[in-house]
Amino acid sequence: MSEENEEFEEITSDEVDRVVAALESLIESTDSENIRSYLEEAMNEIYFLVYEEEEDELDSTVEACDDSDEDFSEAA
């Protein structure tokens, strides 16, 4: 593989929000259930390019806080 293929593109949440909103609008105007299904799948994949990572980070932070809270309650 070349070095160009190994680099990752930074995707902003603003761009993701804009594309998701456009896809939502397109989905609402689409009559075909098959096309709607593909568009919804694409919308979810695009959404998770940015937000899945942030949600995982938040879950990790919450779990770390929960563990430390338990330690304090046991000491009391």
Side-chain angles (χ1 to χ4, degrees):
M1 291 188 151
S2 70
E3 289 182 31
E4 291 177 24
N5 291 338
E6 293 176 9
E7 292 182 28
F8 291 99
E9 173 186 36
E10 184 174 337
I11 301 171
T12 65
S13 58
D14 290 340
E15 182 177 19
V16 168
D17 293 344
R18 190 173 60 251
V19 171
V20 166
L23 285 170
E24 286 175 338
S25 177
L26 187 57
I27 289 168
E28 290 173 5
S29 67
T30 302
D31 293 328
S32 169
E33 287 298 320
N34 287 328
I35 294 172
R36 287 173 72 114
S37 177
Y38 283 114
L39 291 172
E40 287 172 355
E41 184 177 335
M43 183 179 68
N44 289 331
E45 293 292 326
I46 292 167
Y47 177 85
F48 286 123
L49 286 173
V50 172
Y51 293 108
E52 181 176 45
E53 182 177 301
E54 289 178 6
E55 289 174 4
D56 288 344
E57 289 172 4
L58 289 175
D59 289 344
S60 298
T61 304
V62 169
E63 288 174 8
C65 289
D66 289 344
D67 291 343
S68 63
D69 288 344
E70 290 175 11
D71 293 339
F72 288 124
S73 64
E74 290 174 5

